[in-house]
Amino acid sequence: MDLCLGSCGGHVRALEQKLRALNLYSGPIDGIFGGGVESGVKRFQSTYSLPCDGIVGSETWSALFPNVPQPESELLQRPLAERCLALTGAFETSAGFPDCFTGLAGDFDGEGISFGVLQWNIGQDTLQPLFEQMLRDHPQTMTQIFHDNLAHFTSALSLPHDEQLAWWSSLQSPDKAEIFEPWKGYLLTLGRTSSYQQIQMDHSAQIYSDALALAQEFDLHSERSVALMFDILVQNGGIDSAMKMLIKADFVALPHGDIDLTGEIVKMQAIANRVAESSRPEYVEDVRTRKLVIANGTGSVHGRDYELSSQYGIALVSAA
């Protein structure tokens, strides 16, 4: 597993500690691969005549940690449904696995808060069912996290819709860029629990099922195509019948002859472009970039580099 800008977790924390010991990094030991860590890695690579790309691949890892095997991502062993969720979650939250499950945003968009890997929110009533399930199925965990404030949290869920929005808004800075403590800490702790992560996966299961069906409808069979459809369903709400007709017409004009899964790439590119062009004008290029990264298997979204096969285990192989 390569470590690069945007990576997070225990292995990044070990990297930060190593770079600090070498006087190459002076930032926090927080397990987040940011610009300071990248700068330290590049300085190390330059000193040891390694490719100076700021990425901790096998060669750089071996130089930093002799005789220590390069870490493998736990995500790569998970089912495809969870890998697709983690990829779209990274796009949605700008955080890698598993920190994407703690993605938290304030009321910048009038939705109260957005929380979790797929940014469920209060305004559209998509977040409340997850909170309610957690309260119902894991009351002891919720008590351990929220303590005396659990009653306030529970009561807020029973308020009328507009009052729920107002309650969450009252817990934020005037510009809605920051959620006040202790509520921010409560939510981040909740997002890190295995039980709440499982609830998030449960609530995304239907999206994955729909993604499989949508891929089959376009005669696409690779893991990457399922990931593309999953992301379209989350970000764009799906593909309507008129767009399906346009996409299938595009397919007719595509070169034929590829009989293996590599032939799916041009189809996925066609879908990516059609979906992007149907978006609101201000989002067209953002949607196009995100979808083409999946179609091509590599690229950059919002300054974060993606390589789907090595980072997410999503490859141009049969999803079956």
Side-chain angles (χ1 to χ4, degrees), residues 11-139:
H11 300 307
V12 175
R13 192 170 289 107
L15 172 63
E16 291 169 332
Q17 291 169 337
K18 182 69 172 183
L19 292 173
R20 176 176 287 185
L22 295 171
N23 293 317
L24 297 174
Y25 175 68
S26 59
I29 307 299
D30 57 6
I32 300 173
F33 197 126
V37 177
E38 183 184 57
S39 177
V41 170
K42 287 182 176 180
R43 289 171 62 194
F44 178 84
Q45 291 171 327
S46 177
T47 300
Y48 285 83
S49 301
L50 296 166
C52 193
D53 56 8
I55 298 172
V56 182
S58 57
E59 192 174 4
T60 299
W61 178 271
S62 296
L64 280 163
F65 302 98
N67 303 316
V68 177
Q70 187 178 11
E72 291 188 4
S73 172
E74 175 190 352
L75 178 63
L76 303 185
Q77 309 305 319
R78 299 286 186 92
L80 180 58
E82 295 181 31
R83 287 177 272 143
C84 291
L85 177 62
L87 175 62
T88 289
F91 292 148
E92 291 286 310
T93 66
S94 297
F97 174 86
D99 282 9
C100 54
F101 284 100
T102 67
L104 178 62
D107 193 27
F108 71 97
D109 55 0
E111 303 293 358
I113 62 165
S114 300
F115 181 50
V117 65
L118 296 185
Q119 293 292 273
W120 292 279
N121 61 70
I122 295 294
Q124 297 179 36
D125 295 314
T126 54
L127 181 55
Q128 291 92 323
L130 281 75
F131 284 161
E132 290 163 356
Q133 183 175 343
M134 190 70 191
L135 284 164
R136 183 176 63 251
D137 296 349
H138 305 281

Side-chain angles (χ1 to χ4, degrees), residues 26-27 47 119 134 138 160 165 188 199 201 205 207 218 266 295 308 312 318:
S26 59
T47 300
Q119 293 292 273
M134 190 70 191
H138 305 281
L165 286 170
L188 293 179
I199 286 173
M201 288 185 279
I207 302 173
F218 288 104
V266 291
L308 269 61
Y312 294 89
S318 174

Side-chain angles (χ1 to χ4, degrees), residues 211-231:
L212 286 172
L214 194 54
Q216 292 173 357
E217 187 172 348
F218 288 104
D219 196 27
L220 299 171
H221 307 282
S222 67
E223 292 180 343
R224 205 187 294 173
S225 70
V226 176
L228 176 62
M229 298 308 175
F230 187 95
D231 197 67

